[in-house]
C-alpha cells in the first residue's frame, strides 16, 4: 500500500489567497483526520471524518477553514482567505475501525503564507 | 478532558546510553496510550501502543514503555541509544473504546551524541 498521500508537499502563498490541501487515505480506512503542527501549539486535531461524514470539527480554528470528504478516497482542507498565522505543517491521517487503533500519517504539507 | 504532559522538550543522550522519555496523562479513566516518532520532514510513525493486557509493551526499534496506572504514566525507554534514534517523540492518548481523537503531548526532541 502507498500509505496516506498528501499534496502538495510544500505550498507558499500570499496572504488573502485561497489554499487547498489534499489527502488520499489508505484504501479501506474509514476514519480520516486533519492535524496542524506548529512550534507554538504542537499537534492539534482540526477535524475528523468517519465514513466520509464529519464527526467533530471543534478544532477548526475559524470559518476561514473548511474540510470536505466527497468520497472514501479523497479529502480536502481549504483555507480562504489565508493569513500568515496559518503557516504550519498540515497532516492527514487515516485509520480503520476494526484495526489496532493506530492512525497512519501522511508526510504532511508545509504551508507558508507570506 | 484528556491531556498529556511530556517532561522535557529536549533530551540529549550519548550513543549507547539509556533513553528515557517521560509521559504523564490526565484522564478520568485509563485511556489508550501511544508513542509516535517523527523524523525530520516526515509524518508521524507509531512506535508502540497500550490498549489492554500486559502493561509493558514493546515496540519497534528496541523501544518499550510501561503503563503505570497508579502514576498515570507511560514512559518510553530504550536500553542503548543509536544515532538513528534522533527524532521527535510524541506521547498521545485516546478515549478507551474509541478509534479517534488522539490528544498529543508537546513532543520531546531526542538528540544522540556520538
Amino acid at each position: 500500500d502507498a500509505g496516506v498521500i498528501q499534496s502538495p508537499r510544500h505550498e507558499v502563498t500570499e496572504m488573502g489567497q485561497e489554499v487547498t490541501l489534499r489527502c488520499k487515505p489508505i484504501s479501506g480506512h474509514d476514519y480520516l483526520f486533519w492535524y496542524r503542527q506548529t512550534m507554538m501549539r504542537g499537534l492539534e486535531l482540526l477535524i475528523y471524518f468517519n465514513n466520509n461524514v464529519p464527526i467533530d470539527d471543534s478544532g477548526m480554528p475559524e470559518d476561514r477553514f473548511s474540510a470536505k470528504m466527497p468520497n472514501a478516497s479523497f479529502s480536502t482542507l481549504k483555507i480562504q482567505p489565508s493569513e500568515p498565522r496559518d503557516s504550519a505543517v498540515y497532516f492527514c491521517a487515516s485509520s480503520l475501525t476494526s484495526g489496532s487503533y493506530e492512525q497512519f500519517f501522511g508526510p504532511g504539507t508545509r504551508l507558508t503564507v507570506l | 478532558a484528556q491531556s498529556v504532559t511530556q517532561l522535557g522538550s529536549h533530551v540529549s543522550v550519548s550513543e549507547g546510553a539509556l533513553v528515557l522519555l517521560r509521559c504523564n496523562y490526565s484522564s478520568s479513566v485509563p485511556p489508550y496510550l501511544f508513542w509516535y516518532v517523527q523524523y525530520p520532514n516526515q509524518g508521524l510513525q507509531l512506535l508502540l501502543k497500550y490498549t489492554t493486557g500486559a502493561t509493558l509493551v514493546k515496540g519497534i526499534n528496541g523501544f518499550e514503555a510501561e503503563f503505570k496506572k497508579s502514576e498515570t504514566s507511560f514512559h518510553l525507554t530504550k536500553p542503548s541509544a543509536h544515532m538513528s534514534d534522533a527524532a521527535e517523540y510524541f506521547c498521545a492518548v485516546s478515549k478507551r473504546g474509541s478509534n479517534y481523537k488522539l490528544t498529543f503531548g508537546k513532543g520531546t526532541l531526542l538528540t544522540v551524541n556520538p
Side-chain angles (χ1 to χ4, degrees):
Chain A
D1 199 314
V4 176
I5 298 172
Q6 292 186 248
S7 65
R9 292 295 309 275
H10 301 273
E11 176 81 31
V12 181
T13 190
E14 293 190 345
M15 183 174 63
Q17 296 298 306
E18 177 179 297
V19 175
T20 299
L21 312 181
R22 297 172 176 80
C23 175
K24 176 179 169 56
I26 293 173
S27 177
H29 281 191
D30 54 351
Y31 277 88
L32 184 137
F33 308 82
W34 282 100
Y35 292 90
R36 178 172 67 176
Q37 184 179 37
T38 61
M39 289 291 291
M40 290 296 294
R41 300 175 69 90
L43 269 162
E44 305 172 277
L45 176 65
L46 300 177
I47 184 172
Y48 73 94
F49 297 82
N50 179 218
N51 291 322
N52 314 336
V53 176
I55 303 300
D56 185 346
D57 65 355
S58 60
M60 296 285 262
E62 48 197 277
D63 291 346
R64 297 185 297 106
F65 286 69
S66 63
K68 294 182 180 180
M69 193 165 186
N71 57 62
S73 59
F74 184 64
S75 177
T76 60
L77 178 67
K78 186 176 293 186
I79 308 172
Q80 167 63 15
S82 58
E83 296 183 2
R85 60 192 168 121
D86 302 330
S87 297
V89 181
Y90 291 82
F91 289 102
C92 176
S94 69
S95 67
L96 184 61
T97 298
S98 57
S100 59
Y101 304 102
E102 177 179 358
Q103 291 184 18
F104 294 82
F105 282 74
T109 295
R110 182 174 296 277
L111 173 65
T112 302
V113 183
L114 303 174
Chain B
Q2 298 173 313
S3 67
V4 179
T5 302
Q6 291 184 238
L7 295 175
S9 60
H10 188 190
V11 171
S12 182
V13 300
S14 298
E15 192 172 18
L18 171 72
V19 176
L20 171 60
L21 305 182
R22 300 179 186 273
C23 173
N24 288 88
Y25 67 89
S26 173
S27 177
S28 56
V29 296
Y32 291 156
L33 295 154
F34 306 81
W35 275 101
Y36 281 81
V37 61
Q38 184 180 28
Y39 298 102
N41 300 314
Q42 294 186 27
L44 280 72
Q45 178 184 1
L46 183 69
L47 268 180
L48 50 79
K49 65 180 185 292
Y50 171 77
T51 56
T52 188
T55 56
L56 180 64
V57 293
K58 296 184 185 299
I60 61 173
N61 301 337
F63 284 93
E64 61 182 38
E66 186 171 11
F67 167 58
K68 292 187 176 181
K69 182 179 176 181
S70 60
E71 299 178 7
T72 61
S73 69
F74 192 57
H75 302 330
L76 181 71
T77 60
K78 182 174 180 178
S80 177
H82 192 272
M83 296 295 289
S84 60
D85 295 326
E88 189 150 23
Y89 293 79
F90 294 89
C91 183
V93 301
S94 72
K95 191 184 297 185
R96 181 164 288 277
S98 73
N99 199 34
Y100 45 84
K101 256 194 147 162
L102 281 174
T103 300
F104 285 90
K106 295 290 189 185
T108 298
L109 180 64
L110 175 66
T111 301
V112 182
N113 304 307

